[in-house]
Structure formats: C-alpha cells, structure tokens
Amino acid sequence: MSIEEWLSGDGVRETVGELTRVLGPYTGRDWTGPAGDLDWSCWTTAAHIAHDLLGYATQLTGRPDTGYLPLDLRVRPDATPAQVLVVAAACGGLLAAAIDTVPAQTRAWHWGPCDPPGFAAMGIAETLLHTYDITRGLAVDWQPPAAPSAAVLRRLFPEAPAGEPAAVLLWMTGRTALAGRPRRTDWTWRAAIG
C-alpha cells in the first residue's frame, strides 16, 4: 500500500490485524507486568489502545471543533487479555468505518482541526507503538512494520530524520536511541492541519 492507502480505514484494519496476530498467541502470559518502559501494565496498555481508537472514531463522527467529546471507554477489570484484544479490534473497526464513511473534508478536534488521514495516522501510531510496548513487557521480539511506520512518520512527524521507518518511529516517540542520537525525553506529533 502507498502512504495514502495506509492512512485510511484499510490501513487501520491492517494495523489492528497486526496487533491481534502478534499478541494473540501470548494472551496466556501474565499481562499484569509493565508494558516496556511505561507505568501501565500490558493489560492497561491494550485497553488504552482500544480507548484511543474509539475516541478517534467518535471525534470523526461527532466532529467537535474545540475539544474531545466527554466520553471514555471502560474495559471491565475482569476482562482477560484475549477479551481486551477483541475490544481493541472492535474499536479499530469503528475507527476504520468512521474513516471510510465521513466526507474527506471532515475536520474534528485533535489540538486543532484534524482530517480523516490524520486520525488514521494517530490510530495506527497508537496501535503500533503500544503493541511494541506490550511485546517488550511480554518478552516477545517484534518491531513495527516498515510501511505503516513510514506512513505515520510522513503524516505526524514531518521533521523526522531519514532512516529505517520503525527505528525512526520508535526514536521519535522516545522509546529508543537512534544511531548516535540519544533517546528523546520529550516529543509531540502533529495531527492538526493548517
């Protein structure tokens, strides 16, 4: 897929499919430990992915222009890791459907006006980055795929340096060092459009 094709409902579906493919075999492990360097557990991080995907979907369909809609996703605390992954997949499906069905000129708030490809990029980024965090917590060897990482970098981090897309994405978001560059301690992506 091209970068434009990745920043679509199909790109969100592919990325959420990667999340379930990578993490599904490990739902029997202990998800109460930290997800990589995060303060959240692996379970909480997976629930956070679902929350963000749902939030992005409702922003697009509700189209607020001054802030986030006053809603939160609550995953029941007795949900198993496998169930939390299903919730994340369901929320990813809602985001993908929202991206596919709203007019291309739709704008909704994310620290300014954001378009459907911007919400796709954020959904893909949240999914890739937190899948990486969870795999670190579960001692699973995995890196984000290059193509969706490149799409996220192009849309959300236009100032990103050249390099292998997954490594650059992990560096841009403070998860790793990069070829002589120290690990970042402060970062922000740019989803709003001018």
Side-chain angles (χ1 to χ4, degrees):
M1 286 196 283
S2 68
I3 285 178
E4 292 75 25
E5 290 168 330
W6 272 105
L7 300 181
S8 68
D10 285 342
V12 171
R13 284 184 200 91
E14 282 287 322
T15 304
V16 171
E18 178 76 357
L19 164 105
T20 57
R21 183 191 68 74
V22 169
L23 296 177
Y26 303 101
T27 56
R29 290 192 182 176
D30 180 7
W31 284 51
T32 61
D37 294 334
L38 301 180
D39 292 332
W40 296 332
S41 70
C42 293
W43 187 98
T44 301
T45 303
H48 169 80
I49 294 169
H51 176 273
D52 281 358
L53 295 173
L54 178 66
Y56 297 152
T58 59
Q59 286 300 103
L60 271 176
T61 57
R63 301 179 193 163
D65 57 7
T66 59
Y68 273 106
L69 294 172
L71 66 89
D72 284 304
L73 172 66
R74 179 183 172 271
V75 179
R76 288 196 321 242
D78 63 343
T80 66
Q83 290 171 322
V84 178
L85 290 182
V86 173
V87 173
C91 292
L94 292 172
L95 176 57
I99 292 164
D100 287 346
T101 58
V102 299
Q105 68 273 16
T106 297
R107 300 294 180 264
W109 189 86
H110 184 84
W111 307 106
C114 187
D115 59 355
F119 281 102
M122 290 187 293
I124 291 167
E126 288 285 344
T127 304
L128 291 176
L129 294 167
H130 289 313
T131 297
Y132 173 79
D133 296 330
I134 295 167
T135 60
R136 290 189 61 222
L138 298 176
V140 174
D141 185 29
W142 180 82
Q143 293 283 311
S149 297
V152 166
L153 289 169
R154 173 83 58 86
R155 178 61 177 81
L156 300 180
F157 297 102
E159 75 284 8
E164 194 281 315
V168 173
L169 180 61
L170 294 173
W171 179 74
M172 291 296 298
T173 57
R175 283 165 171 81
T176 61
L178 179 69
R181 298 172 192 241
R183 188 170 175 176
R184 299 177 86 189
T185 58
D186 186 37
W187 60 272
T188 303
W189 60 44
R190 290 189 232 154
I193 57 175

